[in-house]
Amino acid sequence: MKKWLLLSIVAFFVVLAMMFSFSPSSLGPLGILLFFTTCYVLFLGLAVMCCRLFFILKAKLKNEKAANLDKRGLYYGAAVALAPLLLLMMGSIG
């Protein structure tokens, strides 16, 4: 759980540094790919944390044992993290 939070924080600062230091035309295709990959890591960390919290609350409400939180949180988080990235890409295309 802590590694996703740490990766998300590092990705946040990298995205901020890229946004304030470079323009898209100066980065080129590889820089834009790095930007979108870093955004995905940022959203993945947030989505994994939210999914884990959801599964923990769901298990407590049903009085069940929360099993396989890491795997389920990662699988669902990977799918959920694509949504904001796709919206960002579609917005940049127009």
Side-chain angles (χ1 to χ4, degrees), residues 5-94:
L5 183 61
L6 180 65
L7 278 174
S8 194
I9 291 170
V10 169
F12 175 73
F13 286 116
V14 170
V15 166
L16 277 180
M18 287 179 75
M19 286 177 62
F20 289 116
S21 300
F22 303 105
S23 68
S25 60
S26 68
L27 281 178
L30 208 56
I32 294 173
L33 178 66
L34 177 68
F35 176 76
F36 281 120
T37 304
T38 310
C39 282
Y40 178 72
V41 171
L42 172 66
F43 291 132
L44 178 65
L46 295 175
V48 167
M49 294 299 161
C50 290
C51 287
R52 288 195 67 203
L53 179 65
F54 174 75
F55 288 133
I56 289 171
L57 291 175
K58 181 181 166 188
K60 285 189 178 190
L61 287 176
K62 290 186 175 185
N63 293 327
E64 296 176 351
K65 183 181 175 184
N68 295 330
L69 284 180
D70 291 332
K71 286 185 180 181
R72 284 196 318 181
L74 182 60
Y75 294 151
Y76 282 97
V80 170
L82 278 176
L85 196 63
L86 289 175
L87 288 174
L88 184 64
M89 286 182 193
M90 287 175 22
S92 67
I93 293 172

